[in-house]
Short mmCIF file of all heavy atoms in Angstrom, two decimals:
data_model
loop_
_atom_site.label_atom_id
_atom_site.label_comp_id
_atom_site.label_asym_id
_atom_site.label_seq_id
_atom_site.Cartn_x
_atom_site.Cartn_y
_atom_site.Cartn_z
N GLU A 65 15.70 0.65 -65.13
CA GLU A 65 16.92 0.42 -64.36
C GLU A 65 16.81 -0.87 -63.55
O GLU A 65 15.86 -1.10 -62.84
CB GLU A 65 17.16 1.60 -63.42
CG GLU A 65 18.45 1.49 -62.64
CD GLU A 65 18.62 2.68 -61.70
OE1 GLU A 65 17.66 3.46 -61.55
OE2 GLU A 65 19.71 2.79 -61.13
N HIS A 66 17.83 -1.70 -63.66
CA HIS A 66 17.85 -2.98 -62.95
C HIS A 66 19.06 -3.05 -62.04
O HIS A 66 20.14 -2.56 -62.38
CB HIS A 66 17.91 -4.17 -63.92
CG HIS A 66 16.62 -4.38 -64.66
ND1 HIS A 66 15.61 -5.17 -64.19
CD2 HIS A 66 16.19 -3.88 -65.85
CE1 HIS A 66 14.60 -5.19 -65.06
NE2 HIS A 66 14.93 -4.39 -66.07
N TYR A 67 18.87 -3.67 -60.88
CA TYR A 67 19.98 -3.98 -60.00
C TYR A 67 20.04 -5.50 -59.91
O TYR A 67 19.08 -6.14 -59.56
CB TYR A 67 19.77 -3.37 -58.61
CG TYR A 67 19.98 -1.89 -58.58
CD1 TYR A 67 18.98 -1.02 -58.99
CD2 TYR A 67 21.20 -1.37 -58.17
CE1 TYR A 67 19.19 0.36 -58.97
CE2 TYR A 67 21.42 -0.01 -58.14
CZ TYR A 67 20.41 0.85 -58.54
OH TYR A 67 20.62 2.20 -58.53
N ASP A 68 21.19 -6.05 -60.18
CA ASP A 68 21.31 -7.50 -60.22
C ASP A 68 22.66 -7.90 -59.66
O ASP A 68 23.69 -7.36 -60.07
CB ASP A 68 21.18 -7.98 -61.67
CG ASP A 68 21.15 -9.52 -61.75
OD1 ASP A 68 21.45 -10.18 -60.76
OD2 ASP A 68 20.86 -10.01 -62.83
N GLY A 69 22.64 -8.86 -58.71
CA GLY A 69 23.89 -9.31 -58.11
C GLY A 69 24.88 -9.82 -59.14
O GLY A 69 26.09 -9.75 -58.95
N GLY A 70 24.38 -10.32 -60.27
CA GLY A 70 25.28 -10.84 -61.30
C GLY A 70 26.11 -9.78 -61.96
O GLY A 70 27.15 -10.05 -62.55
N THR A 71 25.67 -8.53 -61.90
CA THR A 71 26.39 -7.43 -62.53
C THR A 71 27.32 -6.73 -61.55
O THR A 71 28.03 -5.81 -61.91
CB THR A 71 25.40 -6.38 -63.08
OG1 THR A 71 24.72 -5.78 -61.97
CG2 THR A 71 24.42 -6.99 -64.03
N GLY A 72 27.28 -7.16 -60.29
CA GLY A 72 28.09 -6.50 -59.29
C GLY A 72 27.33 -5.39 -58.59
O GLY A 72 27.79 -4.81 -57.61
N LEU A 73 26.13 -5.07 -59.07
CA LEU A 73 25.29 -4.08 -58.43
C LEU A 73 24.37 -4.78 -57.43
O LEU A 73 24.03 -5.94 -57.60
CB LEU A 73 24.45 -3.32 -59.47
CG LEU A 73 25.25 -2.47 -60.45
CD1 LEU A 73 24.34 -1.97 -61.57
CD2 LEU A 73 25.89 -1.29 -59.74
N PRO A 74 23.96 -4.08 -56.38
CA PRO A 74 23.12 -4.73 -55.36
C PRO A 74 21.73 -5.07 -55.85
O PRO A 74 21.12 -4.33 -56.61
CB PRO A 74 23.07 -3.68 -54.24
CG PRO A 74 23.29 -2.38 -54.93
CD PRO A 74 24.24 -2.68 -56.06
N GLY A 75 21.23 -6.23 -55.44
CA GLY A 75 19.86 -6.62 -55.76
C GLY A 75 18.88 -5.87 -54.88
O GLY A 75 19.26 -5.20 -53.91
N HIS A 76 17.61 -5.98 -55.22
CA HIS A 76 16.55 -5.26 -54.50
C HIS A 76 16.58 -5.55 -53.01
O HIS A 76 16.52 -4.63 -52.18
CB HIS A 76 15.21 -5.67 -55.11
CG HIS A 76 14.02 -5.16 -54.36
ND1 HIS A 76 13.89 -3.84 -53.98
CD2 HIS A 76 12.90 -5.79 -53.91
CE1 HIS A 76 12.74 -3.68 -53.34
NE2 HIS A 76 12.14 -4.84 -53.28
N HIS A 77 16.67 -6.81 -52.63
CA HIS A 77 16.66 -7.16 -51.22
C HIS A 77 17.96 -6.76 -50.53
O HIS A 77 17.97 -6.45 -49.33
CB HIS A 77 16.39 -8.66 -51.06
CG HIS A 77 15.10 -9.10 -51.69
ND1 HIS A 77 13.89 -8.53 -51.37
CD2 HIS A 77 14.84 -10.04 -52.64
CE1 HIS A 77 12.93 -9.10 -52.09
NE2 HIS A 77 13.49 -10.00 -52.87
N GLN A 78 19.05 -6.79 -51.27
CA GLN A 78 20.32 -6.33 -50.71
C GLN A 78 20.25 -4.84 -50.38
O GLN A 78 20.80 -4.39 -49.37
CB GLN A 78 21.46 -6.61 -51.68
CG GLN A 78 21.76 -8.10 -51.85
CD GLN A 78 22.75 -8.37 -52.96
OE1 GLN A 78 22.83 -7.61 -53.93
NE2 GLN A 78 23.50 -9.45 -52.85
N LEU A 79 19.57 -4.07 -51.22
CA LEU A 79 19.40 -2.65 -50.96
C LEU A 79 18.58 -2.42 -49.69
O LEU A 79 18.88 -1.54 -48.89
CB LEU A 79 18.71 -1.97 -52.15
CG LEU A 79 19.55 -1.81 -53.42
CD1 LEU A 79 18.68 -1.29 -54.56
CD2 LEU A 79 20.72 -0.87 -53.18
N ALA A 80 17.55 -3.24 -49.51
CA ALA A 80 16.71 -3.13 -48.31
C ALA A 80 17.54 -3.43 -47.06
O ALA A 80 17.43 -2.73 -46.04
CB ALA A 80 15.53 -4.08 -48.42
N ILE A 81 18.36 -4.46 -47.12
CA ILE A 81 19.21 -4.83 -45.99
C ILE A 81 20.20 -3.72 -45.69
O ILE A 81 20.46 -3.38 -44.52
CB ILE A 81 19.93 -6.17 -46.28
CG1 ILE A 81 18.92 -7.31 -46.23
CG2 ILE A 81 21.05 -6.41 -45.28
CD1 ILE A 81 19.48 -8.65 -46.66
#
Side-chain angles (χ1 to χ4, degrees):
E65 184 181 9
H66 288 271
Y67 286 81
D68 186 348
T71 66
L73 295 170
H76 172 49
H77 302 305
Q78 291 172 332
L79 288 173
I81 289 173

